Amino acid sequence: MATMKAVVLRKPFEVVVDEVERPTITDPADVLLRVDLTAICGTDLHPYDGRIELEEDVVLGHEFVGTVVEVGSAVNLVSEGDRAVASCVVSCGHCRNCNRGRPGQCAGTRIFGLGLTFGSLSGGQAEYVVVPNADLTLRKLTDEGAGNDEDKLFVGDIMATGYEAVRKVIRPGDSVAVVGAGPVGLCAAMSANVLGASRVMVVDKVAARLKEAEAIGAVGIDASVTDPTEAVQDLTDWRGADVVIDAVGHPSALLSACALVASGGSISIPGVYLEDSIDIPFGDLYLKGVSIHQGVANIINYMDETLALIAAGKLDPSRFISHRMPMSEATEAYRMFAEREATKIVLDPTR
Amino acid sequence: MGYFADANEVDKYIGGVFRAAAEHPESGPKFRSAGINLRVLYTDPDVEMWVLMREPAMEVTTGPSDETADITLMMRSDTGDKYWRGEYNLAVGLAKGEVKAKGPVNKILKLVPLTKPLFPMYRDLVADKDAAQA
């Protein structure tokens, strides 16, 4: 049995780097990738802290780029030796929602590194990973244009997620407020600039993250010293933001988003919610005619756009990487990320 | 011919694993505290199975019930057998339409990981039947 090193979640708060069985392709549409770079995502924290309950011993990770080492007989778009980035979400490509352009709501949605619940796909925080439905899930990488593999790594999740959250609701000239300056929030703010926002405001309490937001041209609003609602009202001639992005996925963030949005505006929620119910000011939202958009991101719909914008030098999400670490230090990396000591951590599986 | 001879066998083995789940040291308390009424419509052979996950004891019954289901699943009995052996990918089955589900997705997501520790128990339950058929 061939083995490999991988980041394994034994149980909540117990991440180890262990020797596990190397995955093999089992379907003609599969590709085996040697992982070159992998990242820790905010979604990884859900099983890490037990908010999403998984079985024991799950190989984590759903953001990765790699090199193709083996292709199934039905794969046409990549070949051995190609470098490629994978969507974190694997869809079937032929169900009703896939045919309606909603692969994030595919009846058979699978997500790498989230266990049996999401289709038993072994994660990408490993030396090797099998990518199902590869022609749909992967995008081949080239060296043309701007951007490096660290930028393109994020097209598989945070960049496409943040981009979609803005792209599906914005009109040119809109004001955009982003609640939460984590990686997805920062990618959303960066996308809002590219997609024609007149002003981008980012709300958070972590000074380093607000500094990142300001560095890409957003107005940082420190919720620990300023009332974000007042601040956004002041910056929008008392209208509120036309577009509000909840990039946190916590009821308090959603309530904040409800308070920031303008009449006729939209709330877009890339943050993850699993609560049975949440109290929101529904009458206020109704009277303001606010639209709410949410759901698992339709990553594959936006990978080509974000790769093109990276190549054009208009998106550069690698600037949000705060730490580059060997995968062997994943235990410490998870601790740091969970305690917000790092904005974004990239792991090198070869070290 | 499917794996199960009749509805009684579906109840004995698949119902049996749910009954055993109630006693499982890790999964049992989690199932009971889930507070979910699960209805599974197995076909070929046809069995309507109810799993009432509640304190103080989980109840597993077959046939119609006056309870209200939070989650309803429909699949062939053979699909249920493969799932409990750990040989069936539920996500792929849902995509193919081999498994249908009704009810809040977040509740379904909470239940699925609880089942994995029970796969060895199911394989033990069917071991004699497998040996007899070999």
Side-chain angles (χ1 to χ4, degrees):
Chain A
M1 178 185 78
T3 63
M4 65 172 185
K5 292 214 174 338
V7 178
V8 178
L9 180 69
R10 294 259 181 257
K11 57 186 181 183
F13 300 105
E14 189 178 330
V15 163
V16 299
V17 178
D18 205 356
E19 202 72 27
V20 302
E21 185 176 351
R22 185 199 289 190
T24 55
I25 64 174
T26 57
D27 184 277
D30 286 350
V31 153
L32 178 66
L33 277 190
R34 186 191 69 232
V35 180
D36 298 324
L37 285 175
T38 181
I40 303 177
C41 175
T43 303
D44 292 321
L45 293 182
H46 294 314
Y48 179 75
D49 65 18
R51 189 174 170 213
I52 293 178
E53 195 165 339
L54 303 185
E55 65 272 23
E56 293 178 354
D57 298 341
V58 170
V59 175
L60 294 171
H62 53 266
E63 274 184 319
F64 50 89
V65 292
T67 303
V68 175
V69 293
E70 189 180 356
V71 296
S73 59
V75 175
N76 295 305
L77 301 181
V78 293
S79 305
E80 196 176 323
D82 285 342
R83 289 179 306 112
V85 59
S87 163
C88 60
V89 179
V90 176
S91 47
C92 74
H94 47 71
C95 71
R96 186 170 185 269
N97 278 337
C98 284
N99 286 336
R100 288 157 66 94
R102 299 290 297 267
Q105 284 66 56
C106 170
T109 292
R110 289 182 277 172
I111 302 177
F112 293 96
L114 287 180
L116 187 66
T117 309
F118 288 98
S120 296
L121 295 183
S122 190
Q125 289 164 13
E127 292 182 284
Y128 293 88
V129 63
V130 167
V131 178
N133 289 356
D135 281 345
L136 201 60
T137 311
L138 287 177
R139 294 295 181 277
K140 185 174 164 179
L141 300 181
T142 70
D143 293 324
E144 291 169 16
N148 56 31
D149 280 7
E150 287 187 342
D151 291 303
K152 296 165 190 173
L153 163 66
F154 299 134
V155 164
D157 188 358
I158 60 167
M159 188 69 251
T161 298
Y163 181 84
E164 181 192 24
V166 179
R167 162 86 155 69
K168 64 187 178 184
V169 292
I170 194 171
R171 293 185 191 189
D174 276 356
S175 55
V176 176
V178 178
V179 180
V184 169
L186 290 168
C187 285
M190 179 181 272
S191 301
N193 284 331
V194 172
L195 291 165
S198 58
R199 187 190 291 274
V200 181
M201 300 154 279
V202 176
V203 180
D204 205 294
K205 293 178 180 175
V206 180
R209 292 185 170 196
L210 289 170
K211 201 173 165 187
E212 290 280 359
E214 287 166 354
I216 58 168
V219 178
I221 298 172
D222 187 341
S224 65
V225 296
T226 305
D227 178 348
T229 309
E230 291 291 326
V232 169
Q233 294 278 334
D234 288 347
L235 289 163
T236 57
D237 196 20
W238 288 35
R239 286 193 302 271
D242 299 309
V243 172
V244 181
I245 308 296
D246 169 5
V248 178
H250 186 277
S252 62
L254 184 54
L255 283 174
S256 181
C258 293
L260 300 184
V261 69
S263 179
S266 300
I267 297 174
S268 183
I269 310 172
V272 176
Y273 285 93
L274 296 171
E275 285 77 2
D276 286 341
S277 62
I278 298 173
D279 283 333
I280 56 173
F282 197 79
D284 187 42
L285 297 174
Y286 175 85
L287 292 169
K288 289 201 291 192
V290 171
S291 302
I292 298 179
H293 301 258
Q294 58 191 317
V296 174
N298 297 288
I299 302 284
I300 58 171
N301 291 1
Y302 299 98
M303 292 173 81
D304 296 318
E305 287 180 34
T306 48
L307 281 170
L309 289 166
I310 287 170
K314 295 184 176 181
L315 296 173
D316 58 344
S318 65
R319 66 184 299 147
F320 303 133
I321 299 171
S322 57
H323 295 73
R324 295 170 177 81
M325 300 170 71
M327 194 175 74
S328 58
E329 295 177 14
T331 304
E332 172 64 3
Y334 266 87
R335 186 202 63 75
M336 291 168 62
F337 195 54
E339 295 185 11
R340 293 191 174 193
E341 293 173 16
T343 303
K344 189 70 181 177
I345 300 177
V346 170
L347 302 173
D348 178 354
T350 66
R351 295 164 53 218
Chain B
M1 169 98 182
Y3 179 70
F4 298 111
D6 54 31
N8 287 336
E9 282 202 350
V10 177
D11 181 43
K12 178 180 177 183
Y13 295 110
I14 297 183
V17 78
F18 277 117
R19 291 182 189 98
E23 306 305 320
H24 190 273
E26 288 174 28
S27 301
K30 291 176 183 173
F31 272 115
R32 290 197 301 274
S33 66
I36 292 171
N37 289 349
L38 171 67
R39 178 185 181 221
V40 190
L41 302 173
Y42 292 108
T43 60
D44 193 23
D46 295 357
V47 179
E48 178 177 348
M49 185 175 293
W50 286 81
V51 185
L52 309 179
M53 300 165 202
R54 58 173 67 149
E55 298 289 2
M58 230 163 84
E59 290 177 38
V60 183
T61 59
T62 56
S65 167
D66 292 333
E67 298 282 350
T68 302
D70 297 301
I71 298 167
T72 301
L73 302 174
M74 186 165 73
M75 67 186 82
R76 295 186 72 243
S77 297
D78 276 8
T79 300
D81 170 62
K82 287 196 181 85
Y83 177 79
W84 283 105
R85 290 175 190 267
E87 297 170 358
Y88 189 81
N89 193 315
L90 197 58
V92 174
L94 285 161
K96 289 180 173 174
E98 292 173 354
V99 178
K100 294 191 173 183
K102 281 195 287 190
V105 175
N106 64 338
K107 289 190 175 175
I108 297 172
L109 298 185
K110 284 175 186 170
L111 285 185
V112 172
L114 301 184
T115 60
K116 191 165 185 179
L118 308 176
F119 293 167
M121 293 166 62
Y122 181 79
R123 289 193 291 265
D124 287 345
L125 275 175
V126 295
D128 288 346
K129 178 174 166 62
D130 285 348
Q133 288 186 340

